[in-house]
Amino acid sequence: MTHWITVFCFCALLISGIEIVISHPRFYWGEVGNVGTSPLFTIPIPSSRGTVPTGYGFVMPDQNGWSRYLHFQTAWALVLTGLVYGLAGLWTGHFWKDLVPERGDRKWRAYWGRTAQYLRRTPPEAREANSYNVLQRTAYLGVIFVLFPLVIWTGLASSPAFDSAVPAAVNLLGGRQSARTLHFFVSGALVLFLLVHVAMVALSGFRNRMRGMISGRLVVPEAAVPEEERS
Ligand code: HEM
């Protein structure tokens, strides 16, 4: 449930986030950034604000109002969903049992080995039928405990209200405009994760993985069942 609410929120955040970027496709470093200061970089797209210099001779339709409302509202829905997921994961031991790499896998050799297996398209080992491999575990842990907390922190730090309430949390990131720039890159990393994640689900059997995810019933391919357990 928390995964699919997250997917829904993520899509809404992505669409509204793109609209917000279109209203000002210039990024800055430090506390202050506006059309009068020089940007760190500019995304070469037209803007929905006539006052923003983009080099284009036209202005996009302005969708900034609803986008900001939706972005902020959905971010809170995602934070609450994340809290439920986090508490459930701690309570049930899911993080330790299923996401922290197994003791024998905590070495570079295990990472290279599994990567090579993917590249050679070797069928997964039997133990992977009902558990995540070391690459999946590390990617999921990175998303849950690094990228998500970062995207929330940098997003909150981009808000003037948060900046005046907790300036120390914004200064640590280098200022409000730095927070916005970092927010953009962390969101990009999450989009990259999503693309690879969905591609891997598709490659490993979309219907089966989705059935397993939603109903708990996973069809284990014959090749992945150890010989002595085959009927
Ligand atoms: C339409 C998009 C998505 C699909 C189809 C999808 C599908 C799945 C599936 C089938 C699994 C089970 C793992 C497996 O069978 O290998 C999974 C797990 C997971 N997904 Fe997604 N996912 C999507 C979007 C996302 C997004 C947007 C995020 C977060 C940014 C995300 C984060 C995760 C995480 C962290 C897990 C592991 C959760 C756990 O076991 O506690 N997914 N996903």
Side-chain angles (χ1 to χ4, degrees), residues 123-166:
E125 292 161 23
R127 63 176 178 143
E128 278 188 26
N130 292 311
S131 92
Y132 299 138
N133 67 47
V134 65
L135 295 178
Q136 283 172 300
R137 286 173 186 239
T138 310
Y140 292 156
L141 281 180
V143 164
I144 297 162
F145 292 107
V146 180
L147 293 182
F148 258 108
L150 265 182
V151 88
I152 293 162
W153 179 16
T154 53
L156 276 174
S158 308
S159 139
F162 186 80
D163 195 6
S164 49
V166 205

mmCIF file of all heavy atoms in Angstrom, residues 123-166:
data_model
loop_
_atom_site.group_PDB
_atom_site.id
_atom_site.type_symbol
_atom_site.label_atom_id
_atom_site.label_comp_id
_atom_site.label_asym_id
_atom_site.label_seq_id
_atom_site.Cartn_x
_atom_site.Cartn_y
_atom_site.Cartn_z
ATOM 1 N N PRO A 123 20.610 -16.552 -15.264
ATOM 2 C CA PRO A 123 19.386 -16.642 -14.460
ATOM 3 C C PRO A 123 19.693 -16.460 -12.970
ATOM 4 O O PRO A 123 20.759 -16.890 -12.509
ATOM 5 C CB PRO A 123 18.865 -18.060 -14.742
ATOM 6 C CG PRO A 123 19.586 -18.525 -15.944
ATOM 7 C CD PRO A 123 20.874 -17.763 -16.040
ATOM 8 N N PRO A 124 18.791 -15.828 -12.209
ATOM 9 C CA PRO A 124 19.060 -15.592 -10.785
ATOM 10 C C PRO A 124 19.196 -16.878 -9.991
ATOM 11 O O PRO A 124 18.634 -17.908 -10.360
ATOM 12 C CB PRO A 124 17.838 -14.795 -10.321
ATOM 13 C CG PRO A 124 16.814 -14.971 -11.369
ATOM 14 C CD PRO A 124 17.498 -15.338 -12.637
ATOM 15 N N GLU A 125 19.965 -16.775 -8.866
ATOM 16 C CA GLU A 125 20.135 -17.957 -7.999
ATOM 17 C C GLU A 125 18.826 -18.228 -7.252
ATOM 18 O O GLU A 125 17.987 -17.341 -7.129
ATOM 19 C CB GLU A 125 21.221 -17.671 -6.953
ATOM 20 C CG GLU A 125 22.606 -17.547 -7.554
ATOM 21 C CD GLU A 125 23.550 -16.813 -6.603
ATOM 22 O OE1 GLU A 125 23.274 -16.814 -5.387
ATOM 23 O OE2 GLU A 125 24.538 -16.259 -7.097
ATOM 24 N N ALA A 126 18.722 -19.474 -6.707
ATOM 25 C CA ALA A 126 17.485 -19.882 -6.031
ATOM 26 C C ALA A 126 17.126 -18.936 -4.888
ATOM 27 O O ALA A 126 15.970 -18.579 -4.705
ATOM 28 C CB ALA A 126 17.657 -21.291 -5.497
ATOM 29 N N ARG A 127 18.146 -18.492 -4.119
ATOM 30 C CA ARG A 127 17.848 -17.675 -2.921
ATOM 31 C C ARG A 127 17.228 -16.324 -3.311
ATOM 32 O O ARG A 127 16.650 -15.636 -2.483
ATOM 33 C CB ARG A 127 19.098 -17.475 -2.085
ATOM 34 C CG ARG A 127 20.188 -16.713 -2.789
ATOM 35 C CD ARG A 127 21.368 -16.469 -1.870
ATOM 36 N NE ARG A 127 22.428 -15.783 -2.589
ATOM 37 C CZ ARG A 127 23.208 -14.866 -2.072
ATOM 38 N NH1 ARG A 127 23.067 -14.528 -0.822
ATOM 39 N NH2 ARG A 127 24.146 -14.292 -2.784
ATOM 40 N N GLU A 128 17.340 -15.940 -4.607
ATOM 41 C CA GLU A 128 16.780 -14.658 -5.024
ATOM 42 C C GLU A 128 15.286 -14.717 -5.310
ATOM 43 O O GLU A 128 14.655 -13.697 -5.535
ATOM 44 C CB GLU A 128 17.501 -14.144 -6.263
ATOM 45 C CG GLU A 128 18.782 -13.444 -5.921
ATOM 46 C CD GLU A 128 19.401 -12.770 -7.128
ATOM 47 O OE1 GLU A 128 18.672 -12.425 -8.069
ATOM 48 O OE2 GLU A 128 20.623 -12.607 -7.126
ATOM 49 N N ALA A 129 14.734 -15.962 -5.347
ATOM 50 C CA ALA A 129 13.319 -16.088 -5.679
ATOM 51 C C ALA A 129 12.460 -15.354 -4.655
ATOM 52 O O ALA A 129 11.463 -14.734 -4.991
ATOM 53 C CB ALA A 129 12.934 -17.557 -5.754
ATOM 54 N N ASN A 130 12.843 -15.438 -3.385
ATOM 55 C CA ASN A 130 12.032 -14.810 -2.349
ATOM 56 C C ASN A 130 12.768 -13.735 -1.569
ATOM 57 O O ASN A 130 12.376 -13.380 -0.468
ATOM 58 C CB ASN A 130 11.521 -15.878 -1.374
ATOM 59 C CG ASN A 130 10.532 -16.778 -2.042
ATOM 60 O OD1 ASN A 130 9.595 -16.307 -2.687
ATOM 61 N ND2 ASN A 130 10.759 -18.077 -1.949
ATOM 62 N N SER A 131 13.871 -13.261 -2.131
ATOM 63 C CA SER A 131 14.563 -12.181 -1.413
ATOM 64 C C SER A 131 15.282 -11.299 -2.426
ATOM 65 O O SER A 131 15.449 -11.692 -3.581
ATOM 66 C CB SER A 131 15.533 -12.767 -0.390
ATOM 67 O OG SER A 131 16.805 -12.923 -0.962
ATOM 68 N N TYR A 132 15.677 -10.111 -2.004
ATOM 69 C CA TYR A 132 16.362 -9.185 -2.902
ATOM 70 C C TYR A 132 17.851 -9.508 -2.933
ATOM 71 O O TYR A 132 18.418 -9.903 -1.911
ATOM 72 C CB TYR A 132 16.192 -7.749 -2.413
ATOM 73 C CG TYR A 132 14.763 -7.261 -2.347
ATOM 74 C CD1 TYR A 132 14.339 -6.498 -1.261
ATOM 75 C CD2 TYR A 132 13.863 -7.518 -3.371
ATOM 76 C CE1 TYR A 132 13.039 -6.023 -1.196
ATOM 77 C CE2 TYR A 132 12.566 -7.050 -3.304
ATOM 78 C CZ TYR A 132 12.152 -6.299 -2.218
ATOM 79 O OH TYR A 132 10.879 -5.831 -2.155
ATOM 80 N N ASN A 133 18.492 -9.283 -4.100
ATOM 81 C CA ASN A 133 19.948 -9.490 -4.151
ATOM 82 C C ASN A 133 20.658 -8.242 -3.632
ATOM 83 O O ASN A 133 20.021 -7.216 -3.330
ATOM 84 C CB ASN A 133 20.393 -9.883 -5.570
ATOM 85 C CG ASN A 133 20.200 -8.768 -6.569
ATOM 86 O OD1 ASN A 133 20.570 -7.628 -6.319
ATOM 87 N ND2 ASN A 133 19.606 -9.086 -7.717
ATOM 88 N N VAL A 134 21.996 -8.338 -3.548
ATOM 89 C CA VAL A 134 22.763 -7.272 -2.902
ATOM 90 C C VAL A 134 22.610 -5.916 -3.620
ATOM 91 O O VAL A 134 22.553 -4.853 -2.973
ATOM 92 C CB VAL A 134 24.247 -7.695 -2.768
ATOM 93 C CG1 VAL A 134 24.922 -7.854 -4.119
ATOM 94 C CG2 VAL A 134 25.018 -6.728 -1.907
ATOM 95 N N LEU A 135 22.468 -5.933 -4.952
ATOM 96 C CA LEU A 135 22.326 -4.665 -5.682
ATOM 97 C C LEU A 135 20.962 -4.037 -5.408
ATOM 98 O O LEU A 135 20.854 -2.828 -5.184
ATOM 99 C CB LEU A 135 22.513 -4.887 -7.188
ATOM 100 C CG LEU A 135 23.888 -5.349 -7.641
ATOM 101 C CD1 LEU A 135 23.912 -5.563 -9.141
ATOM 102 C CD2 LEU A 135 24.956 -4.335 -7.262
ATOM 103 N N GLN A 136 19.909 -4.892 -5.412
ATOM 104 C CA GLN A 136 18.570 -4.379 -5.111
ATOM 105 C C GLN A 136 18.540 -3.799 -3.704
ATOM 106 O O GLN A 136 18.036 -2.698 -3.481
ATOM 107 C CB GLN A 136 17.541 -5.509 -5.174
ATOM 108 C CG GLN A 136 17.149 -5.912 -6.570
ATOM 109 C CD GLN A 136 16.286 -7.151 -6.511
ATOM 110 O OE1 GLN A 136 16.712 -8.189 -6.018
ATOM 111 N NE2 GLN A 136 15.072 -7.059 -7.014
ATOM 112 N N ARG A 137 19.091 -4.552 -2.746
ATOM 113 C CA ARG A 137 19.065 -4.116 -1.338
ATOM 114 C C ARG A 137 19.736 -2.759 -1.181
ATOM 115 O O ARG A 137 19.223 -1.857 -0.520
ATOM 116 C CB ARG A 137 19.773 -5.145 -0.447
ATOM 117 C CG ARG A 137 18.959 -6.400 -0.248
ATOM 118 C CD ARG A 137 19.749 -7.466 0.483
ATOM 119 N NE ARG A 137 18.999 -8.702 0.530
ATOM 120 C CZ ARG A 137 18.633 -9.326 1.650
ATOM 121 N NH1 ARG A 137 18.993 -8.854 2.807
ATOM 122 N NH2 ARG A 137 17.931 -10.429 1.610
ATOM 123 N N THR A 138 20.920 -2.632 -1.828
ATOM 124 C CA THR A 138 21.661 -1.382 -1.675
ATOM 125 C C THR A 138 20.910 -0.226 -2.343
ATOM 126 O O THR A 138 20.820 0.871 -1.791
ATOM 127 C CB THR A 138 23.076 -1.544 -2.280
ATOM 128 O OG1 THR A 138 23.641 -2.737 -1.743
ATOM 129 C CG2 THR A 138 23.956 -0.371 -1.966
ATOM 130 N N ALA A 139 20.345 -0.489 -3.531
ATOM 131 C CA ALA A 139 19.605 0.569 -4.226
ATOM 132 C C ALA A 139 18.389 0.990 -3.396
ATOM 133 O O ALA A 139 18.130 2.180 -3.198
ATOM 134 C CB ALA A 139 19.165 0.084 -5.604
ATOM 135 N N TYR A 140 17.647 0.002 -2.861
ATOM 136 C CA TYR A 140 16.460 0.334 -2.070
ATOM 137 C C TYR A 140 16.837 1.091 -0.791
ATOM 138 O O TYR A 140 16.197 2.075 -0.426
ATOM 139 C CB TYR A 140 15.669 -0.938 -1.721
ATOM 140 C CG TYR A 140 15.014 -1.612 -2.917
ATOM 141 C CD1 TYR A 140 14.690 -2.962 -2.911
ATOM 142 C CD2 TYR A 140 14.701 -0.889 -4.065
ATOM 143 C CE1 TYR A 140 14.085 -3.578 -4.002
ATOM 144 C CE2 TYR A 140 14.102 -1.495 -5.166
ATOM 145 C CZ TYR A 140 13.803 -2.844 -5.127
ATOM 146 O OH TYR A 140 13.205 -3.454 -6.201
ATOM 147 N N LEU A 141 17.910 0.640 -0.130
ATOM 148 C CA LEU A 141 18.331 1.331 1.100
ATOM 149 C C LEU A 141 18.750 2.771 0.776
ATOM 150 O O LEU A 141 18.434 3.699 1.522
ATOM 151 C CB LEU A 141 19.512 0.605 1.759
ATOM 152 C CG LEU A 141 19.182 -0.636 2.577
ATOM 153 C CD1 LEU A 141 20.457 -1.230 3.163
ATOM 154 C CD2 LEU A 141 18.211 -0.307 3.719
ATOM 155 N N GLY A 142 19.457 2.939 -0.353
ATOM 156 C CA GLY A 142 19.899 4.277 -0.771
ATOM 157 C C GLY A 142 18.722 5.189 -1.023
ATOM 158 O O GLY A 142 18.711 6.356 -0.614
ATOM 159 N N VAL A 143 17.684 4.643 -1.675
ATOM 160 C CA VAL A 143 16.494 5.460 -1.970
ATOM 161 C C VAL A 143 15.761 5.814 -0.679
ATOM 162 O O VAL A 143 15.390 6.964 -0.450
ATOM 163 C CB VAL A 143 15.563 4.699 -2.953
ATOM 164 C CG1 VAL A 143 14.178 5.301 -2.991
ATOM 165 C CG2 VAL A 143 16.174 4.711 -4.338
ATOM 166 N N ILE A 144 15.606 4.798 0.196
ATOM 167 C CA ILE A 144 14.792 4.998 1.408
ATOM 168 C C ILE A 144 15.510 5.885 2.430
ATOM 169 O O ILE A 144 14.905 6.783 3.011
ATOM 170 C CB ILE A 144 14.444 3.633 2.044
ATOM 171 C CG1 ILE A 144 13.588 2.820 1.083
ATOM 172 C CG2 ILE A 144 13.734 3.803 3.378
ATOM 173 C CD1 ILE A 144 13.560 1.330 1.397
ATOM 174 N N PHE A 145 16.818 5.628 2.638
ATOM 175 C CA PHE A 145 17.494 6.311 3.754
ATOM 176 C C PHE A 145 18.419 7.446 3.323
ATOM 177 O O PHE A 145 18.895 8.186 4.168
ATOM 178 C CB PHE A 145 18.269 5.295 4.602
ATOM 179 C CG PHE A 145 17.355 4.366 5.333
ATOM 180 C CD1 PHE A 145 17.217 3.038 4.941
ATOM 181 C CD2 PHE A 145 16.573 4.817 6.394
ATOM 182 C CE1 PHE A 145 16.346 2.182 5.600
ATOM 183 C CE2 PHE A 145 15.701 3.970 7.057
ATOM 184 C CZ PHE A 145 15.584 2.652 6.658
ATOM 185 N N VAL A 146 18.684 7.596 2.019
ATOM 186 C CA VAL A 146 19.541 8.715 1.593
ATOM 187 C C VAL A 146 18.743 9.674 0.709
ATOM 188 O O VAL A 146 18.551 10.845 1.059
ATOM 189 C CB VAL A 146 20.812 8.214 0.861
ATOM 190 C CG1 VAL A 146 21.678 9.391 0.436
ATOM 191 C CG2 VAL A 146 21.608 7.255 1.749
ATOM 192 N N LEU A 147 18.246 9.181 -0.438
ATOM 193 C CA LEU A 147 17.606 10.096 -1.391
ATOM 194 C C LEU A 147 16.302 10.699 -0.853
ATOM 195 O O LEU A 147 16.075 11.893 -0.995
ATOM 196 C CB LEU A 147 17.375 9.394 -2.727
ATOM 197 C CG LEU A 147 18.644 9.032 -3.508
ATOM 198 C CD1 LEU A 147 18.301 8.397 -4.838
ATOM 199 C CD2 LEU A 147 19.509 10.268 -3.749
ATOM 200 N N PHE A 148 15.447 9.864 -0.236
ATOM 201 C CA PHE A 148 14.184 10.413 0.256
ATOM 202 C C PHE A 148 14.381 11.455 1.361
ATOM 203 O O PHE A 148 13.846 12.559 1.255
ATOM 204 C CB PHE A 148 13.207 9.310 0.670
ATOM 205 C CG PHE A 148 12.167 9.102 -0.378
ATOM 206 C CD1 PHE A 148 12.181 7.977 -1.174
ATOM 207 C CD2 PHE A 148 11.203 10.068 -0.617
ATOM 208 C CE1 PHE A 148 11.250 7.813 -2.188
ATOM 209 C CE2 PHE A 148 10.275 9.912 -1.623
ATOM 210 C CZ PHE A 148 10.296 8.784 -2.408
ATOM 211 N N PRO A 149 15.179 11.150 2.414
ATOM 212 C CA PRO A 149 15.409 12.197 3.419
ATOM 213 C C PRO A 149 16.005 13.468 2.800
ATOM 214 O O PRO A 149 15.621 14.574 3.150
ATOM 215 C CB PRO A 149 16.386 11.536 4.399
ATOM 216 C CG PRO A 149 16.144 10.076 4.242
ATOM 217 C CD PRO A 149 15.772 9.871 2.812
ATOM 218 N N LEU A 150 16.930 13.283 1.821
ATOM 219 C CA LEU A 150 17.557 14.446 1.197
ATOM 220 C C LEU A 150 16.563 15.275 0.387
ATOM 221 O O LEU A 150 16.590 16.509 0.420
ATOM 222 C CB LEU A 150 18.685 13.989 0.267
ATOM 223 C CG LEU A 150 20.095 13.973 0.833
ATOM 224 C CD1 LEU A 150 21.074 13.537 -0.236
ATOM 225 C CD2 LEU A 150 20.489 15.348 1.363
ATOM 226 N N VAL A 151 15.681 14.583 -0.339
ATOM 227 C CA VAL A 151 14.740 15.323 -1.185
ATOM 228 C C VAL A 151 13.763 16.107 -0.299
ATOM 229 O O VAL A 151 13.350 17.217 -0.637
ATOM 230 C CB VAL A 151 14.034 14.384 -2.207
ATOM 231 C CG1 VAL A 151 12.778 13.737 -1.692
ATOM 232 C CG2 VAL A 151 13.771 15.121 -3.509
ATOM 233 N N ILE A 152 13.430 15.547 0.865
ATOM 234 C CA ILE A 152 12.513 16.250 1.779
ATOM 235 C C ILE A 152 13.220 17.463 2.406
ATOM 236 O O ILE A 152 12.694 18.576 2.440
ATOM 237 C CB ILE A 152 11.985 15.284 2.867
ATOM 238 C CG1 ILE A 152 11.097 14.233 2.229
ATOM 239 C CG2 ILE A 152 11.210 16.037 3.941
ATOM 240 C CD1 ILE A 152 10.872 13.004 3.083
ATOM 241 N N TRP A 153 14.434 17.228 2.857
ATOM 242 C CA TRP A 153 15.200 18.316 3.500
ATOM 243 C C TRP A 153 15.449 19.464 2.503
ATOM 244 O O TRP A 153 15.158 20.633 2.795
ATOM 245 C CB TRP A 153 16.525 17.741 4.014
ATOM 246 C CG TRP A 153 17.446 18.704 4.682
ATOM 247 C CD1 TRP A 153 17.134 19.959 5.154
ATOM 248 C CD2 TRP A 153 18.840 18.502 4.962
ATOM 249 N NE1 TRP A 153 18.239 20.539 5.712
ATOM 250 C CE2 TRP A 153 19.294 19.667 5.609
ATOM 251 C CE3 TRP A 153 19.733 17.454 4.748
ATOM 252 C CZ2 TRP A 153 20.624 19.816 6.032
ATOM 253 C CZ3 TRP A 153 21.042 17.605 5.176
ATOM 254 C CH2 TRP A 153 21.481 18.763 5.795
ATOM 255 N N THR A 154 15.953 19.146 1.305
ATOM 256 C CA THR A 154 16.257 20.203 0.335
ATOM 257 C C THR A 154 14.974 20.887 -0.144
ATOM 258 O O THR A 154 14.974 22.088 -0.404
ATOM 259 C CB THR A 154 17.036 19.640 -0.874
ATOM 260 O OG1 THR A 154 16.315 18.520 -1.414
ATOM 261 C CG2 THR A 154 18.433 19.181 -0.509
ATOM 262 N N GLY A 155 13.884 20.115 -0.228
ATOM 263 C CA GLY A 155 12.609 20.702 -0.653
ATOM 264 C C GLY A 155 12.103 21.685 0.394
ATOM 265 O O GLY A 155 11.737 22.827 0.081
ATOM 266 N N LEU A 156 12.107 21.263 1.660
ATOM 267 C CA LEU A 156 11.663 22.155 2.741
ATOM 268 C C LEU A 156 12.562 23.390 2.805
ATOM 269 O O LEU A 156 12.084 24.514 2.987
ATOM 270 C CB LEU A 156 11.722 21.417 4.084
ATOM 271 C CG LEU A 156 10.518 20.546 4.439
ATOM 272 C CD1 LEU A 156 10.797 19.775 5.718
ATOM 273 C CD2 LEU A 156 9.264 21.394 4.616
ATOM 274 N N ALA A 157 13.869 23.167 2.623
ATOM 275 C CA ALA A 157 14.827 24.276 2.728
ATOM 276 C C ALA A 157 14.670 25.276 1.577
ATOM 277 O O ALA A 157 15.178 26.395 1.658
ATOM 278 C CB ALA A 157 16.251 23.722 2.759
ATOM 279 N N SER A 158 13.947 24.896 0.505
ATOM 280 C CA SER A 158 13.715 25.837 -0.599
ATOM 281 C C SER A 158 12.566 26.786 -0.271
ATOM 282 O O SER A 158 12.308 27.733 -1.014
ATOM 283 C CB SER A 158 13.348 25.084 -1.881
ATOM 284 O OG SER A 158 14.292 24.092 -2.162
ATOM 285 N N SER A 159 11.844 26.492 0.816
ATOM 286 C CA SER A 159 10.681 27.325 1.144
ATOM 287 C C SER A 159 11.087 28.491 2.055
ATOM 288 O O SER A 159 11.760 28.294 3.066
ATOM 289 C CB SER A 159 9.638 26.433 1.836
ATOM 290 O OG SER A 159 9.045 27.099 2.919
ATOM 291 N N PRO A 160 10.681 29.724 1.690
ATOM 292 C CA PRO A 160 11.057 30.892 2.510
ATOM 293 C C PRO A 160 10.573 30.762 3.953
ATOM 294 O O PRO A 160 11.268 31.165 4.884
ATOM 295 C CB PRO A 160 10.355 32.058 1.807
ATOM 296 C CG PRO A 160 10.077 31.577 0.420
ATOM 297 C CD PRO A 160 9.913 30.102 0.498
ATOM 298 N N ALA A 161 9.380 30.160 4.157
ATOM 299 C CA ALA A 161 8.851 30.033 5.521
ATOM 300 C C ALA A 161 9.765 29.143 6.361
ATOM 301 O O ALA A 161 10.088 29.466 7.509
ATOM 302 C CB ALA A 161 7.443 29.445 5.476
ATOM 303 N N PHE A 162 10.216 28.029 5.783
ATOM 304 C CA PHE A 162 11.103 27.105 6.505
ATOM 305 C C PHE A 162 12.440 27.789 6.776
ATOM 306 O O PHE A 162 13.020 27.663 7.852
ATOM 307 C CB PHE A 162 11.305 25.835 5.657
ATOM 308 C CG PHE A 162 12.072 24.753 6.358
ATOM 309 C CD1 PHE A 162 11.445 23.923 7.280
ATOM 310 C CD2 PHE A 162 13.421 24.555 6.100
ATOM 311 C CE1 PHE A 162 12.150 22.915 7.925
ATOM 312 C CE2 PHE A 162 14.128 23.551 6.744
ATOM 313 C CZ PHE A 162 13.488 22.726 7.657
ATOM 314 N N ASP A 163 12.890 28.583 5.780
ATOM 315 C CA ASP A 163 14.165 29.293 5.911
ATOM 316 C C ASP A 163 14.126 30.248 7.108
ATOM 317 O O ASP A 163 15.073 30.330 7.897
ATOM 318 C CB ASP A 163 14.437 30.072 4.615
ATOM 319 C CG ASP A 163 15.882 30.537 4.529
ATOM 320 O OD1 ASP A 163 16.677 30.153 5.403
ATOM 321 O OD2 ASP A 163 16.209 31.288 3.596
ATOM 322 N N SER A 164 12.990 30.961 7.283
ATOM 323 C CA SER A 164 12.957 31.888 8.415
ATOM 324 C C SER A 164 12.726 31.160 9.731
ATOM 325 O O SER A 164 13.161 31.620 10.775
ATOM 326 C CB SER A 164 11.924 32.997 8.207
ATOM 327 O OG SER A 164 10.727 32.428 7.813
ATOM 328 N N ALA A 165 12.061 29.987 9.693
ATOM 329 C CA ALA A 165 11.803 29.258 10.942
ATOM 330 C C ALA A 165 13.041 28.483 11.415
ATOM 331 O O ALA A 165 13.353 28.492 12.601
ATOM 332 C CB ALA A 165 10.635 28.294 10.739
ATOM 333 N N VAL A 166 13.719 27.797 10.468
ATOM 334 C CA VAL A 166 14.887 26.972 10.861
ATOM 335 C C VAL A 166 16.082 27.333 9.961
ATOM 336 O O VAL A 166 16.541 26.497 9.162
ATOM 337 C CB VAL A 166 14.587 25.458 10.717
ATOM 338 C CG1 VAL A 166 15.471 24.631 11.650
ATOM 339 C CG2 VAL A 166 13.138 25.108 10.938
#
